[in-house]
Amino acid sequence: MNKEELRLKLTSLEKKLNHNRYGKSKRFNMPMMIVTELFAGILVGSAIGYLVDQYFKILPAFTMLFGVFGFFASLLNIYRNLYTKK
């Protein structure tokens, strides 16, 4: 095989990989990605808020506030994953 044949074979394989990666498989992973993003955003935001509450020794105001921030950050990530082209 010469270099040109190898290049053609590599480009065809890359096209197949990209089609499989962003084609059918992305649709099947979407619900799990949405659930994971929401759960992780709320969990991380609440954990940071809890640590801030413990540091200042106050009521759980920051836990709730950062939980809401985490929720909206996860919605933003979901929007970016769904509506941006890669």
Side-chain angles (χ1 to χ4, degrees):
M1 292 184 120
N2 62 14
K3 288 183 182 182
E4 190 60 35
E5 290 175 351
L6 285 174
R7 261 192 219 123
L8 289 173
K9 209 167 208 180
L10 278 174
T11 54
S12 69
L13 286 174
E14 284 176 355
K15 286 179 185 178
K16 287 180 185 178
L17 281 174
N18 286 336
H19 175 69
N20 288 338
R21 185 178 301 151
Y22 300 117
K24 296 178 184 176
S25 65
K26 188 174 181 180
R27 285 182 282 173
F28 293 121
N29 292 334
M30 216 40 78
M32 191 63 184
M33 185 270 305
I34 291 171
V35 170
T36 305
E37 284 283 340
L38 284 173
F39 183 72
I42 294 169
L43 186 70
V44 169
S46 297
I48 292 171
Y50 178 77
L51 291 174
V52 171
D53 282 336
Q54 291 300 312
Y55 181 75
F56 290 118
K57 295 181 181 27
I58 58 173
L59 296 174
F62 284 107
T63 303
M64 292 185 288
L65 181 69
F66 279 80
V68 170
F69 284 162
F71 173 73
F72 285 115
S74 62
L75 288 180
L76 182 63
N77 284 335
I78 291 168
Y79 177 79
R80 286 180 183 164
N81 285 332
L82 288 176
Y83 296 110
T84 56
K85 296 193 180 204
K86 294 180 180 180

Coordinates of all heavy atoms in Angstrom, one line a residue:
M1 N 0.8 -1.2 0.0 CA 0.0 0.0 0.0 C 0.9 1.2 0.0 O 1.8 1.3 0.8 CB -0.9 0.0 1.2 CG -1.9 -1.0 1.3 SD -3.0 -0.7 2.7 CE -4.5 -0.5 2.0
N2 N 0.5 2.2 -0.8 CA 1.2 3.4 -0.8 C 0.6 4.4 0.1 O -0.5 4.2 0.7 CB 1.4 3.9 -2.2 CG 0.1 4.3 -2.9 OD1 -0.9 4.3 -2.2 ND2 0.1 4.4 -4.2
K3 N 1.2 5.6 0.2 CA 0.7 6.6 1.1 C -0.7 7.1 0.8 O -1.5 7.4 1.7 CB 1.6 7.8 1.2 CG 2.9 7.5 1.9 CD 3.8 8.7 1.9 CE 5.1 8.4 2.6 NZ 6.0 9.6 2.7
E4 N -1.0 7.2 -0.5 CA -2.3 7.8 -0.9 C -3.4 6.8 -0.5 O -4.5 7.2 -0.1 CB -2.3 8.0 -2.4 CG -3.5 8.8 -2.9 CD -3.7 10.1 -2.2 OE1 -2.7 10.8 -2.0 OE2 -4.8 10.5 -2.0
E5 N -3.2 5.5 -0.7 CA -4.2 4.5 -0.4 C -4.4 4.5 1.2 O -5.6 4.4 1.6 CB -3.8 3.1 -0.8 CG -3.8 2.9 -2.3 CD -3.2 1.6 -2.7 OE1 -2.7 0.9 -1.9 OE2 -3.4 1.2 -3.9
L6 N -3.4 4.6 1.9 CA -3.5 4.7 3.4 C -4.3 5.9 3.8 O -5.1 5.9 4.7 CB -2.1 4.7 4.0 CG -1.4 3.3 4.1 CD1 0.0 3.5 4.6 CD2 -2.2 2.3 4.9
R7 N -4.0 7.1 3.2 CA -4.8 8.3 3.5 C -6.3 8.1 3.2 O -7.1 8.5 4.0 CB -4.2 9.5 2.7 CG -3.3 10.3 3.5 CD -3.0 11.6 2.8 NE -1.6 11.8 3.0 CZ -0.6 12.0 2.1 NH1 -0.9 12.0 0.9 NH2 0.6 12.2 2.5
L8 N -6.6 7.6 2.1 CA -8.0 7.3 1.7 C -8.7 6.4 2.7 O -9.8 6.6 3.1 CB -8.1 6.8 0.3 CG -7.8 7.7 -0.8 CD1 -7.8 7.0 -2.2 CD2 -8.8 8.9 -0.8
K9 N -8.0 5.4 3.1 CA -8.5 4.4 4.1 C -8.7 5.1 5.4 O -9.8 4.9 6.1 CB -7.6 3.2 4.2 CG -8.3 2.0 4.6 CD -7.4 0.8 4.4 CE -8.3 -0.4 4.1 NZ -7.5 -1.6 3.9
L10 N -7.8 5.9 5.8 CA -7.9 6.6 7.1 C -9.0 7.6 7.1 O -9.8 7.7 8.1 CB -6.6 7.3 7.5 CG -5.5 6.5 8.1 CD1 -4.2 7.3 8.3 CD2 -5.9 5.9 9.4
T11 N -9.2 8.3 6.0 CA -10.3 9.3 6.0 C -11.7 8.6 6.0 O -12.6 9.1 6.6 CB -10.2 10.2 4.8 OG1 -10.1 9.4 3.6 CG2 -9.0 11.2 4.9
S12 N -11.8 7.5 5.3 CA -13.0 6.8 5.3 C -13.3 6.2 6.7 O -14.5 6.2 7.2 CB -13.1 5.7 4.3 OG -12.2 4.6 4.6
L13 N -12.3 5.7 7.4 CA -12.5 5.2 8.8 C -12.9 6.4 9.7 O -13.7 6.2 10.6 CB -11.2 4.5 9.3 CG -11.0 3.1 8.7 CD1 -9.6 2.6 9.1 CD2 -12.1 2.2 9.1
E14 N -12.3 7.5 9.6 CA -12.6 8.7 10.4 C -14.0 9.1 10.2 O -14.7 9.5 11.1 CB -11.7 9.9 10.1 CG -10.3 9.7 10.7 CD -9.3 10.8 10.3 OE1 -9.7 11.7 9.5 OE2 -8.2 10.8 10.9
K15 N -14.5 9.1 8.9 CA -15.9 9.4 8.7 C -16.8 8.5 9.3 O -17.9 8.8 9.9 CB -16.2 9.5 7.2 CG -15.6 10.7 6.5 CD -15.8 10.6 5.0 CE -15.1 11.7 4.3 NZ -15.4 11.7 2.8
K16 N -16.5 7.2 9.3 CA -17.4 6.2 9.9 C -17.4 6.4 11.4 O -18.4 6.3 12.1 CB -16.9 4.8 9.6 CG -17.2 4.3 8.2 CD -16.7 2.9 8.0 CE -16.8 2.5 6.5 NZ -16.3 1.2 6.3
L17 N -16.2 6.6 12.0 CA -16.1 6.9 13.5 C -16.9 8.1 13.9 O -17.7 8.1 14.9 CB -14.7 7.0 13.9 CG -13.9 5.7 14.1 CD1 -12.4 6.0 14.4 CD2 -14.5 4.8 15.2
N18 N -16.8 9.2 13.1 CA -17.5 10.4 13.5 C -19.0 10.2 13.3 O -19.8 10.7 14.1 CB -17.1 11.6 12.6 CG -15.7 12.1 13.1 OD1 -15.3 11.9 14.2 ND2 -15.0 12.7 12.1
H19 N -19.4 9.4 12.3 CA -20.9 9.2 12.1 C -21.4 8.3 13.3 O -22.5 8.6 13.9 CB -21.1 8.4 10.8 CG -22.5 8.0 10.7 ND1 -23.5 8.9 10.4 CD2 -23.1 6.8 10.7 CE1 -24.7 8.3 10.4 NE2 -24.5 7.0 10.5
N20 N -20.7 7.3 13.7 CA -21.1 6.5 14.9 C -21.1 7.3 16.2 O -21.9 7.1 17.0 CB -20.2 5.3 15.0 CG -20.5 4.3 13.9 OD1 -21.6 4.3 13.3 ND2 -19.6 3.4 13.6
R21 N -20.1 8.2 16.3 CA -19.9 8.9 17.6 C -21.0 10.0 17.7 O -21.6 10.2 18.8 CB -18.5 9.6 17.6 CG -18.3 10.3 18.9 CD -16.9 10.9 19.0 NE -15.9 9.8 18.8 CZ -14.7 10.0 18.2 NH1 -14.4 11.2 17.8 NH2 -13.8 9.1 18.1
Y22 N -21.3 10.7 16.6 CA -22.3 11.8 16.7 C -23.6 11.5 16.1 O -24.5 12.3 16.0 CB -21.7 13.1 16.1 CG -20.4 13.5 16.8 CD1 -19.2 13.5 16.1 CD2 -20.4 13.8 18.1 CE1 -18.0 13.9 16.8 CE2 -19.2 14.2 18.8 CZ -18.1 14.2 18.1 OH -16.9 14.6 18.7
G23 N -23.7 10.3 15.5 CA -25.0 10.0 14.8 C -25.9 9.3 15.7 O -26.6 9.9 16.5
K24 N -26.0 8.0 15.6 CA -27.0 7.2 16.3 C -26.8 7.2 17.8 O -27.7 7.3 18.6 CB -27.1 5.8 15.7 CG -27.5 5.7 14.3 CD -27.5 4.3 13.8 CE -27.8 4.2 12.4 NZ -27.7 2.9 11.9
S25 N -25.5 7.0 18.2 CA -25.2 6.8 19.6 C -25.5 8.0 20.5 O -25.9 7.8 21.6 CB -23.8 6.3 19.8 OG -22.9 7.4 19.4
K26 N -25.4 9.2 19.9 CA -25.7 10.4 20.7 C -27.2 10.4 21.1 O -27.5 10.9 22.2 CB -25.3 11.6 19.9 CG -25.4 12.9 20.7 CD -24.8 14.1 20.0 CE -24.9 15.3 20.8 NZ -24.4 16.5 20.2
R27 N -28.1 10.0 20.2 CA -29.5 10.0 20.6 C -29.8 9.1 21.7 O -30.7 9.4 22.5 CB -30.3 9.7 19.3 CG -30.4 10.8 18.3 CD -31.2 10.4 17.2 NE -30.4 9.5 16.4 CZ -30.8 8.8 15.3 NH1 -32.1 8.9 15.0 NH2 -30.0 8.1 14.6
F28 N -29.2 8.0 21.8 CA -29.5 7.0 22.8 C -28.9 7.4 24.2 O -29.4 7.1 25.2 CB -28.9 5.6 22.5 CG -29.6 5.0 21.3 CD1 -28.9 4.7 20.2 CD2 -31.0 4.8 21.3 CE1 -29.5 4.1 19.1 CE2 -31.6 4.3 20.2 CZ -30.9 3.9 19.1
N29 N -27.9 8.2 24.2 CA -27.2 8.6 25.4 C -27.9 9.9 26.0 O -27.5 10.3 27.1 CB -25.7 8.9 25.2 CG -25.0 7.6 25.0 OD1 -25.5 6.5 25.4 ND2 -23.9 7.7 24.3
M30 N -28.7 10.5 25.3 CA -29.3 11.8 25.7 C -30.0 11.8 27.0 O -29.8 12.6 27.9 CB -30.2 12.4 24.6 CG -30.1 13.8 24.3 SD -28.6 14.7 24.4 CE -27.8 14.3 22.9
P31 N -31.0 10.9 27.2 CA -31.7 10.9 28.5 C -30.7 10.7 29.7 O -30.9 11.4 30.7 CB -32.7 9.8 28.4 CG -32.8 9.5 27.0 CD -31.5 9.9 26.3
M32 N -29.8 9.8 29.6 CA -28.8 9.6 30.7 C -28.0 10.8 30.9 O -27.6 11.2 32.0 CB -28.0 8.4 30.4 CG -27.2 7.9 31.5 SD -28.3 7.4 32.8 CE -27.1 7.0 34.1
M33 N -27.6 11.5 29.8 CA -26.8 12.7 30.0 C -27.5 13.8 30.7 O -27.0 14.5 31.6 CB -26.3 13.2 28.6 CG -25.4 14.4 28.6 SD -26.1 16.0 28.5 CE -27.1 16.0 27.1
I34 N -28.8 13.9 30.4 CA -29.7 15.0 31.0 C -29.8 14.7 32.5 O -29.6 15.6 33.3 CB -31.0 15.1 30.3 CG1 -30.8 15.6 28.9 CG2 -32.0 15.9 31.1 CD1 -32.1 15.6 28.0
V35 N -30.1 13.4 32.9 CA -30.3 13.1 34.3 C -29.0 13.3 35.0 O -28.9 13.8 36.1 CB -30.8 11.6 34.4 CG1 -30.7 11.2 35.8 CG2 -32.2 11.5 33.9
T36 N -27.9 12.9 34.4 CA -26.6 13.0 35.1 C -26.2 14.5 35.3 O -25.7 14.9 36.3 CB -25.5 12.3 34.3 OG1 -25.9 11.0 34.1 CG2 -24.1 12.3 35.0
E37 N -26.4 15.3 34.3 CA -26.1 16.7 34.4 C -26.9 17.4 35.5 O -26.4 18.1 36.3 CB -26.4 17.4 33.1 CG -25.4 17.2 32.0 CD -24.1 18.0 32.2 OE1 -24.1 19.0 32.9 OE2 -23.1 17.6 31.6
L38 N -28.2 17.1 35.5 CA -29.1 17.7 36.6 C -28.6 17.3 38.0 O -28.5 18.1 38.9 CB -30.5 17.3 36.3 CG -31.2 18.1 35.2 CD1 -32.6 17.5 35.0 CD2 -31.3 19.6 35.5
F39 N -28.4 16.0 38.1 CA -28.0 15.4 39.4 C -26.7 16.0 39.9 O -26.5 16.5 41.0 CB -28.0 13.9 39.4 CG -27.7 13.3 40.7 CD1 -28.6 13.3 41.7 CD2 -26.4 12.7 40.9 CE1 -28.3 12.7 42.9 CE2 -26.1 12.1 42.1 CZ -27.0 12.1 43.1
A40 N -25.7 16.0 39.0 CA -24.4 16.5 39.3 C -24.4 18.0 39.6 O -23.7 18.4 40.6 CB -23.4 16.2 38.2
G41 N -25.1 18.7 38.8 CA -25.1 20.2 39.1 C -25.7 20.5 40.4 O -25.2 21.4 41.2
I42 N -26.8 19.9 40.7 CA -27.5 20.2 42.0 C -26.6 19.7 43.2 O -26.4 20.4 44.2 CB -28.9 19.6 42.1 CG1 -29.8 20.3 41.0 CG2 -29.5 19.7 43.4 CD1 -31.1 19.6 40.8
L43 N -26.0 18.5 43.0 CA -25.2 17.9 44.1 C -23.9 18.8 44.3 O -23.6 19.1 45.5 CB -24.8 16.5 43.7 CG -24.1 15.7 44.8 CD1 -25.0 15.4 45.9 CD2 -23.5 14.5 44.2
V44 N -23.3 19.2 43.3 CA -22.0 19.9 43.5 C -22.4 21.3 44.0 O -21.7 21.8 44.9 CB -21.3 20.0 42.1 CG1 -20.1 21.1 42.2 CG2 -20.7 18.7 41.8
G45 N -23.4 22.0 43.5 CA -23.8 23.3 44.0 C -24.2 23.2 45.5 O -23.8 24.1 46.3
S46 N -24.9 22.2 45.9 CA -25.4 22.1 47.3 C -24.2 21.8 48.2 O -24.1 22.3 49.3 CB -26.4 21.0 47.4 OG -27.6 21.3 46.7
A47 N -23.2 21.0 47.7 CA -22.0 20.7 48.5 C -21.2 21.9 48.7 O -20.7 22.1 49.8 CB -21.2 19.6 47.8
I48 N -21.0 22.7 47.7 CA -20.3 24.0 47.9 C -21.0 24.9 48.8 O -20.4 25.5 49.7 CB -20.0 24.7 46.5 CG1 -19.1 23.8 45.7 CG2 -19.5 26.1 46.7 CD1 -18.9 24.3 44.2
G49 N -22.3 25.0 48.7 CA -23.1 25.8 49.6 C -23.0 25.3 51.0 O -23.0 26.1 52.0
Y50 N -23.0 24.0 51.2 CA -22.9 23.4 52.6 C -21.6 23.8 53.2 O -21.5 24.1 54.4 CB -23.1 21.9 52.5 CG -23.0 21.2 53.8 CD1 -24.0 21.3 54.8 CD2 -21.8 20.6 54.1 CE1 -23.9 20.7 56.0 CE2 -21.6 19.9 55.4 CZ -22.7 20.0 56.3 OH -22.5 19.4 57.5
L51 N -20.5 23.7 52.4 CA -19.2 24.1 52.9 C -19.1 25.5 53.3 O -18.5 25.9 54.3 CB -18.1 23.7 51.9 CG -17.9 22.2 51.7 CD1 -16.9 22.0 50.5 CD2 -17.4 21.5 52.9
V52 N -19.7 26.4 52.5 CA -19.8 27.8 52.8 C -20.6 28.0 54.1 O -20.2 28.8 55.0 CB -20.3 28.6 51.6 CG1 -20.5 30.1 52.0 CG2 -19.4 28.6 50.5
D53 N -21.7 27.4 54.2 CA -22.5 27.5 55.5 C -21.8 27.0 56.7 O -21.8 27.6 57.8 CB -23.8 26.6 55.3 CG -24.9 27.3 54.5 OD1 -24.8 28.6 54.4 OD2 -25.7 26.6 53.9
Q54 N -21.0 25.9 56.6 CA -20.2 25.4 57.7 C -19.1 26.4 58.1 O -18.8 26.6 59.2 CB -19.7 24.0 57.4 CG -20.7 23.0 57.3 CD -21.5 22.8 58.6 OE1 -20.9 22.7 59.7 NE2 -22.8 22.8 58.5
Y55 N -18.5 27.0 57.1 CA -17.4 28.0 57.3 C -17.9 29.2 58.1 O -17.3 29.6 59.0 CB -16.8 28.4 56.0 CG -15.6 29.3 56.2 CD1 -14.4 28.9 56.6 CD2 -15.8 30.7 55.9 CE1 -13.4 29.8 56.8 CE2 -14.7 31.6 56.0 CZ -13.5 31.1 56.5 OH -12.5 32.0 56.7
F56 N -19.1 29.7 57.7 CA -19.6 30.9 58.3 C -20.6 30.6 59.5 O -21.0 31.5 60.2 CB -20.4 31.8 57.3 CG -19.5 32.5 56.3 CD1 -19.6 32.2 54.9 CD2 -18.5 33.4 56.7 CE1 -18.7 32.8 54.0 CE2 -17.7 34.0 55.8 CZ -17.8 33.7 54.5
K57 N -20.9 29.3 59.7 CA -21.8 28.9 60.8 C -23.1 29.6 60.8 O -23.5 30.2 61.7 CB -21.1 29.0 62.1 CG -19.8 28.1 62.3 CD -19.2 28.3 63.6 CE -18.0 27.4 63.8 NZ -17.2 27.1 62.8
I58 N -23.8 29.6 59.6 CA -25.1 30.2 59.5 C -26.1 29.2 59.0 O -25.8 28.0 58.8 CB -25.0 31.4 58.5 CG1 -24.5 30.9 57.1 CG2 -24.1 32.5 59.0 CD1 -24.6 32.0 56.0
L59 N -27.3 29.6 58.9 CA -28.4 28.8 58.4 C -28.1 28.3 57.0 O -27.2 28.8 56.3 CB -29.7 29.6 58.4 CG -30.2 30.1 59.8 CD1 -31.4 31.0 59.6 CD2 -30.6 28.9 60.7
P60 N -28.8 27.2 56.5 CA -28.5 26.7 55.2 C -28.9 27.5 54.0 O -29.5 27.0 53.1 CB -29.3 25.3 55.3 CG -30.4 25.6 56.2 CD -29.9 26.5 57.2
A61 N -28.7 28.8 54.1 CA -29.1 29.7 53.0 C -28.2 29.5 51.8 O -28.7 29.4 50.7 CB -29.0 31.1 53.5
F62 N -26.9 29.3 52.0 CA -26.0 29.1 50.9 C -26.2 27.7 50.3 O -26.0 27.6 49.1 CB -24.6 29.3 51.3 CG -24.2 30.8 51.5 CD1 -24.0 31.3 52.7 CD2 -24.1 31.6 50.4 CE1 -23.7 32.6 52.9 CE2 -23.7 32.9 50.5 CZ -23.5 33.5 51.8
T63 N -26.6 26.8 51.0 CA -26.8 25.4 50.5 C -28.0 25.5 49.5 O -27.9 25.0 48.4 CB -27.2 24.4 51.6 OG1 -26.1 24.4 52.5 CG2 -27.4 23.0 51.0
M64 N -29.0 26.2 49.8 CA -30.2 26.3 48.9 C -29.8 27.2 47.7 O -30.2 26.9 46.6 CB -31.4 26.9 49.7 CG -32.0 25.9 50.7 SD -33.5 26.5 51.4 CE -32.8 27.8 52.5
L65 N -29.1 28.3 48.0 CA -28.7 29.2 46.9 C -27.8 28.5 45.9 O -28.1 28.6 44.7 CB -28.1 30.5 47.5 CG -27.6 31.5 46.5 CD1 -28.9 32.2 45.9 CD2 -26.8 32.5 47.2
F66 N -26.8 27.9 46.4 CA -25.9 27.2 45.5 C -26.5 26.0 44.8 O -26.1 25.6 43.7 CB -24.6 26.8 46.2 CG -23.6 28.0 46.3 CD1 -23.8 28.9 47.3 CD2 -22.6 28.1 45.5 CE1 -22.9 30.0 47.4 CE2 -21.7 29.2 45.6 CZ -21.8 30.1 46.6
G67 N -27.5 25.3 45.5 CA -28.2 24.3 44.8 C -29.0 24.8 43.6 O -29.0 24.1 42.6
V68 N -29.6 26.0 43.8 CA -30.3 26.6 42.7 C -29.4 27.0 41.6 O -29.6 26.8 40.4 CB -31.2 27.8 43.2 CG1 -31.8 28.6 42.0 CG2 -32.3 27.3 44.1
F69 N -28.2 27.6 41.9 CA -27.2 27.9 40.9 C -26.7 26.7 40.2 O -26.6 26.7 39.0 CB -26.0 28.6 41.6 CG -26.2 30.0 42.0 CD1 -25.4 30.6 42.9 CD2 -27.3 30.8 41.5 CE1 -25.6 32.0 43.3 CE2 -27.5 32.1 41.8 CZ -26.6 32.7 42.7
G70 N -26.5 25.6 40.9 CA -26.1 24.3 40.3 C -27.2 23.8 39.3 O -26.9 23.3 38.2
F71 N -28.5 24.0 39.7 CA -29.5 23.5 38.8 C -29.5 24.3 37.5 O -29.6 23.8 36.4 CB -30.9 23.7 39.5 CG -32.1 23.4 38.6 CD1 -32.4 22.2 38.2 CD2 -32.9 24.5 38.2 CE1 -33.5 21.9 37.4 CE2 -34.0 24.3 37.4 CZ -34.3 23.0 37.0
F72 N -29.4 25.6 37.6 CA -29.4 26.5 36.4 C -28.1 26.3 35.6 O -28.1 26.3 34.3 CB -29.6 27.9 36.7 CG -31.0 28.3 37.1 CD1 -31.4 28.7 38.4 CD2 -32.0 28.1 36.2 CE1 -32.7 28.9 38.7 CE2 -33.3 28.4 36.5 CZ -33.7 28.8 37.7
A73 N -27.0 26.0 36.2 CA -25.8 25.7 35.5 C -25.9 24.4 34.7 O -25.4 24.3 33.6 CB -24.6 25.6 36.5
S74 N -26.6 23.4 35.3 CA -26.8 22.1 34.6 C -27.7 22.3 33.5 O -27.5 21.7 32.4 CB -27.3 21.1 35.6 OG -28.5 21.4 36.1
L75 N -28.7 23.2 33.6 CA -29.6 23.4 32.5 C -28.8 24.1 31.3 O -29.1 23.8 30.1 CB -30.8 24.3 32.9 CG -31.9 23.7 33.7 CD1 -32.9 24.8 34.1 CD2 -32.5 22.5 33.1
L76 N -27.9 25.0 31.7 CA -27.1 25.6 30.6 C -26.2 24.6 29.9 O -26.1 24.7 28.7 CB -26.3 26.8 31.3 CG -25.4 27.6 30.3 CD1 -26.2 28.3 29.3 CD2 -24.5 28.5 31.1
N77 N -25.6 23.7 30.7 CA -24.8 22.7 30.1 C -25.6 21.8 29.2 O -25.2 21.4 28.1 CB -24.1 21.8 31.2 CG -23.0 22.5 31.8 OD1 -22.4 23.4 31.2 ND2 -22.6 22.1 33.0
I78 N -26.8 21.4 29.6 CA -27.7 20.6 28.8 C -28.0 21.3 27.5 O -28.0 20.7 26.4 CB -29.0 20.2 29.5 CG1 -28.6 19.2 30.7 CG2 -30.0 19.6 28.6 CD1 -29.7 19.0 31.6
Y79 N -28.4 22.6 27.6 CA -28.7 23.4 26.4 C -27.5 23.4 25.4 O -27.7 23.2 24.2 CB -29.1 24.8 26.8 CG -29.4 25.7 25.6 CD1 -30.6 25.6 24.9 CD2 -28.4 26.6 25.2 CE1 -30.8 26.4 23.8 CE2 -28.6 27.4 24.1 CZ -29.8 27.3 23.4 OH -30.1 28.1 22.4
R80 N -26.3 23.6 26.0 CA -25.1 23.7 25.1 C -24.9 22.3 24.4 O -24.5 22.3 23.3 CB -23.9 24.1 26.0 CG -23.9 25.5 26.3 CD -22.6 25.8 27.1 NE -22.6 27.2 27.6 CZ -21.9 27.7 28.5 NH1 -21.0 26.9 29.2 NH2 -21.9 28.9 28.9
N81 N -25.1 21.2 25.2 CA -24.8 19.9 24.6 C -25.9 19.6 23.5 O -25.6 18.9 22.5 CB -24.9 18.8 25.7 CG -23.6 18.8 26.5 OD1 -22.5 19.2 26.0 ND2 -23.7 18.4 27.7
L82 N -27.1 20.0 23.7 CA -28.2 19.7 22.7 C -28.1 20.6 21.5 O -28.4 20.1 20.4 CB -29.5 19.8 23.4 CG -29.9 18.8 24.4 CD1 -31.2 19.1 25.1 CD2 -29.9 17.4 23.8
Y83 N -27.8 21.8 21.6 CA -28.0 22.8 20.5 C -26.8 23.4 19.9 O -26.9 24.3 19.2 CB -29.0 23.9 21.0 CG -30.4 23.4 21.3 CD1 -30.8 23.3 22.6 CD2 -31.2 22.9 20.3 CE1 -32.1 22.8 22.9 CE2 -32.4 22.4 20.6 CZ -32.9 22.3 21.9 OH -34.1 21.8 22.2
T84 N -25.6 22.9 20.3 CA -24.4 23.3 19.6 C -23.9 22.2 18.7 O -24.0 21.0 19.1 CB -23.3 23.7 20.6 OG1 -23.1 22.6 21.5 CG2 -23.7 24.9 21.4
K85 N -23.4 22.6 17.6 CA -22.8 21.6 16.7 C -21.4 21.4 17.0 O -20.6 22.3 17.2 CB -23.0 22.0 15.3 CG -24.5 22.1 14.9 CD -24.7 22.3 13.4 CE -26.2 22.4 13.2 NZ -26.6 22.0 11.9
K86 N -21.0 20.1 16.9 CA -19.6 19.8 17.2 C -18.9 19.5 15.9 O -19.4 19.0 15.0 CB -19.5 18.7 18.2 CG -20.0 19.1 19.5 CD -19.9 17.9 20.5 CE -20.5 18.3 21.8 NZ -20.4 17.3 22.8

